[in-house]
Amino acid sequence: MSRKNAHPFDLDTLVGAHNGTLTNKWELKNGLNYPDAARGRLYGSLLLLVAIRADGSVERVEVQRSSGEPVLDEAAKRIVTLAAPFSSFPNDIRADTDIVEIVRTWTFTNADRLTAH
């Protein structure tokens, strides 16, 4: 099985853009799924690994560095799961890549918003 780590600048190239970028899908789902228990009270940043298969399905979602707030950590994982499936990899990427691992910092702000970078 071949894995690649994706840098933010080549994310669109790896997963295609016809269903929108991963970040846009994550941030869109955030607006609909920001945790009620956190609204106006909890905020913080976490480091999240998302492993995506060539067909766009999620292999795994793993918190690599916690925000210190379990409700935010679980919300980030849930947002990824709800945003799936993602675009399948283009054929030239599929030729040598089965799974792309993306590590991003997710920040839940005190304005009840999410950014991923």
Side-chain angles (χ1 to χ4, degrees):
M1 186 172 302
S2 176
R3 292 179 183 265
K4 286 193 178 178
N5 293 322
H7 299 284
F9 57 83
D10 62 10
L11 195 54
D12 289 339
T13 300
L14 287 170
V15 298
H18 70 276
N19 285 333
T21 65
L22 290 175
T23 301
N24 287 343
K25 283 188 86 171
W26 291 336
E27 290 177 353
L28 175 64
K29 288 295 179 185
N30 159 56
L32 302 173
N33 296 288
Y34 198 94
D36 288 335
R39 288 191 188 277
R41 295 190 312 227
L42 301 176
Y43 51 92
S45 294
L46 60 119
L47 192 64
L48 194 70
L49 178 142
V50 179
I52 300 175
R53 295 182 189 98
D55 67 359
S57 63
V58 174
E59 180 200 42
R60 77 180 194 284
V61 181
E62 175 183 303
V63 174
Q64 293 193 321
R65 185 188 69 236
S66 174
S67 66
E69 299 290 350
V71 69
L72 297 180
D73 296 351
E74 289 303 314
K77 291 168 38 178
R78 184 177 60 253
I79 288 166
V80 170
T81 302
L82 291 171
F86 301 100
S87 300
S88 56
F89 301 168
N91 289 335
D92 58 329
I93 301 296
R94 277 179 179 255
D96 66 354
T97 305
D98 298 316
I99 296 172
V100 172
E101 293 183 345
I102 303 160
V103 179
R104 289 274 185 90
T105 299
W106 288 50
T107 302
F108 288 90
T109 72
N110 58 0
D112 295 341
R113 300 291 311 149
L114 167 69
T115 61
H117 50 275

